[in-house]
Amino acid sequence: MINIWEVEETNKMIEQENLDVRTITLGISLMDCITSDLEQLNKNIYEKITTTAKDLVATGEQIEKEYCIPIVNKRISVTPIALVGSAACKTPEDYVTIAKTLDRAAKEVGVNFLGGYSALVSKGMTRGEELLIRSIPQALAQTDLVCSSVNVGSTKTGINMDAVRLMGEMITATAEATKDAEVNGCAKLVVFCNAPDDNPFMAGAFHGVTEADAIINVGVSGPGVMRKALESVRGADFETLCETIKKTAFKITRVGQLVAQEASRRLHIPFGIIDLSLAPTPAIGDSVADILQEIGLEYAGAPGTTAALAMLNDQVKKGGVMASSYVGGLSGAFIPVSEDQGMINAAQAGALTIEKLEAMTCVCSVGLDMIAIPGDTKSTTIAGIIADEMAIGMVNQKTTAARLIPCPGKKVGDSVEFGGLLGYAPVMPVNPYSCDAFVTRTGRIPAPIHSFKN
């Protein structure tokens, strides 16, 4: 039974501490749209999305109004388009027509983003998957709401280094193709190892082939709530600190559970998962880095940062799983640079480097996220950074990702504006030494020995 004290506490978290539901994401299977006729395929995709998602935004807004819970984004994820389009698409330009159809459908139903312009190539690439990957720069340059992801590795299969090298080239090409756009296309492009099928967060959301025809996945937020809770136990022992994190994560997740169940009931679409990640925004006080500082660090990146983040991530999960029977997606703590004012401050102060961020990704929710790098960074260097991040995910049996943003014309120390929830970021230095001879080897890095579990 919910009492009046709990209602008042939740209202305070919303009004004063930036609590929100970050996204309701409607996953839609496009498998029944597949045909070898490209024109018919595009028509099928548009009709499936606009029919299934026609009430998504209105329902989200209705829940916001009735429960006074901010729902920041309403989004769609679809079946990886490399699977859907392989029979009909013979050139990269053919895939671009699908990207435009996805963009048009997303605008018709009024969502903020649509994810799933994706390929899953952890062990090898089909011809169709390679065509989609090569189409990404053009697709992101000619659309506004489409997000793209490519899974290049997994614990079971190893790392497809041919795909890693190609993604280094495509990230460079995307940055150049969108240098005059309102948003750098690389902000909507992520490379994964062990990508989950039910992630509601962009840019990596796609609707996995193991999912139902349609599903509701919800991502919560709440860094400001967590930081405020930890203020009350400043200087306390680790047991008290951990208990406070768990209890607060439980409360945050319950809000997401309520929204998910209501959206599922009203849309007549099954509820999938709650992603209980602490997702920051550029707003002051809504920062994962600020939580780390409240735990006792001068800046994110100081000695002890990885240990503090590991503890935070673990306790968030322990608290969250008690609040919902279906926790999935990524779940933990995001550490994007541009979307977190505390991370921006730490990078500007020199406390946070790409190498330290990489160490932090061993224990956090995802990986190297929203990191601006100099525009003249070589594609092979980008591929090397991606390979390092994929190796962390592969060996540690966790999801890792890289969303790197080369900024044409920008150098270390410059600042880049992305706008909205994407925020802004300082351009960070990358290691100047070459990895060309490594990343230009062909083939794949084998799966680790502990992957053989049958």
Side-chain angles (χ1 to χ4, degrees):
M1 178 69 70
I2 297 176
N3 59 45
I4 189 63
W5 183 84
E6 291 174 305
V7 172
E8 291 175 351
E9 184 182 40
T10 301
N11 287 339
K12 181 181 177 182
M13 290 191 294
I14 292 168
E15 293 171 3
Q16 301 178 24
E17 299 163 13
N18 297 310
L19 174 63
D20 60 52
V21 169
R22 186 54 47 84
T23 178
I24 297 176
T25 300
L26 171 57
I28 302 174
S29 173
L30 301 182
M31 297 301 287
D32 56 352
C33 298
I34 295 174
T35 173
S36 59
D37 183 319
L38 182 58
E39 183 178 350
Q40 186 62 48
L41 175 62
N42 277 294
K43 181 180 179 181
N44 293 348
I45 289 171
Y46 182 82
E47 290 181 354
K48 180 71 180 284
I49 293 172
T50 54
T51 300
T52 307
K54 67 182 188 306
D55 297 323
L56 174 63
V57 172
T59 299
E61 291 173 347
Q62 188 178 47
I63 294 171
E64 279 187 280
K65 183 177 180 180
E66 290 182 20
Y67 289 91
C68 298
I69 298 171
I71 302 172
V72 180
N73 285 294
K74 295 83 178 174
R75 298 165 171 169
I76 292 170
S77 63
V78 298
T79 308
I81 293 300
L83 300 176
V84 177
S86 60
C89 297
K90 309 304 179 187
T91 66
E93 290 73 22
D94 288 345
Y95 274 106
V96 173
T97 68
I98 299 179
K100 291 179 178 179
T101 296
L102 296 173
D103 199 53
R104 187 162 55 93
K107 290 174 179 176
E108 173 64 25
V109 298
V111 295
N112 303 94
F113 288 110
L114 184 150
Y117 196 75
S118 307
L120 311 178
V121 293
S122 61
K123 197 172 182 180
M125 287 182 285
T126 65
R127 175 62 177 160
E129 288 164 337
E130 182 177 347
L131 289 174
L132 179 131
I133 292 172
R134 292 189 180 279
S135 77
I136 289 172
Q138 186 180 355
L140 295 182
Q142 297 184 22
T143 60
D144 298 313
L145 306 181
V146 172
C147 293
S148 180
S149 61
V150 179
N151 190 81
V152 300
S154 76
T155 298
K156 290 293 290 182
T157 63
I159 302 172
N160 182 348
M161 288 301 293
D162 294 329
V164 169
R165 183 177 63 256
L166 180 57
M167 285 309 300
E169 296 169 3
M170 292 303 101
I171 289 170
T172 301
T174 299
E176 183 62 30
T178 59
K179 64 181 179 181
D180 297 323
E182 186 174 345
V183 176
N184 186 313
C186 296
K188 299 184 289 179
L189 172 60
V190 60
V191 186
F192 271 115
C193 178
N194 292 323
D197 286 355
D198 53 9
N199 166 28
F201 286 102
M202 300 297 169
F206 62 85
H207 186 74
V209 295
T210 61
E211 300 288 318
D213 189 59
I215 206 82
I216 292 289
N217 297 321
V218 168
V220 297
S221 183
V225 177
M226 187 66 70
R227 181 189 58 81
K228 190 69 175 178
L230 295 185
E231 285 181 5
S232 65
V233 294
R234 190 175 293 170
D237 59 36
F238 280 104
E239 182 179 358
T240 302
L241 180 66
C242 290
E243 285 298 311
T244 303
I245 295 171
K246 285 194 295 184
K247 290 175 182 177
T248 306
F250 176 88
K251 295 171 186 175
I252 293 169
T253 306
R254 288 302 284 175
V255 173
Q257 177 82 357
L258 170 65
V259 169
Q261 290 175 334
E262 278 299 303
S264 173
R265 182 179 66 82
R266 298 180 189 202
L267 291 168
H268 306 290
I269 292 173
F271 160 50
I273 58 94
I274 298 288
D275 187 316
L276 48 87
S277 297
L278 293 175
T281 71
I284 301 299
D286 199 26
S287 160
V288 171
D290 286 354
I291 298 173
L292 298 176
Q293 288 184 259
E294 185 58 46
I295 289 173
L297 305 171
E298 182 178 4
Y299 277 110
T305 296
T306 305
L309 183 60
M311 178 187 65
L312 174 64
N313 214 46
D314 181 57
Q315 300 306 312
V316 164
K317 291 179 179 180
K318 286 175 177 174
V321 296
M322 294 300 294
S324 175
S325 297
Y326 296 102
V327 171
L330 301 166
S331 289
F334 288 144
I335 54 170
V337 175
S338 79
E339 299 173 16
D340 186 313
Q341 186 61 50
M343 292 290 181
I344 294 168
N345 295 342
Q348 290 175 330
L352 199 59
T353 64
I354 291 178
E355 287 73 21
K356 182 59 177 178
L357 282 163
E358 185 178 294
M360 293 163 67
T361 67
C362 296
V363 299
C364 80
S365 186
V366 194
L368 296 172
D369 196 15
M370 289 300 291
I371 297 174
I373 58 177
D376 61 358
T377 304
K378 295 193 300 182
S379 66
T380 48
T381 298
I382 294 171
I385 297 171
I386 292 170
D388 284 342
E389 193 58 36
M390 301 302 101
I392 290 171
M394 176 184 72
V395 171
N396 290 290
Q397 304 178 72
K398 70 185 295 293
T399 300
T400 52
R403 186 159 45 151
L404 305 171
I405 308 175
C407 302
K410 300 290 185 178
K411 60 183 185 302
V412 173
D414 291 342
S415 184
V416 184
E417 284 280 351
F418 299 117
L421 282 176
L422 297 176
Y424 72 98
V427 177
M428 300 179 72
V430 300
N431 192 305
Y433 296 98
S434 174
C435 61
D436 293 9
F438 174 68
V439 299
T440 53
R441 292 176 182 268
T442 57
R444 59 189 169 96
I445 294 175
I449 187 66
H450 57 254
S451 68
F452 304 127
K453 295 181 180 179
N454 288 318

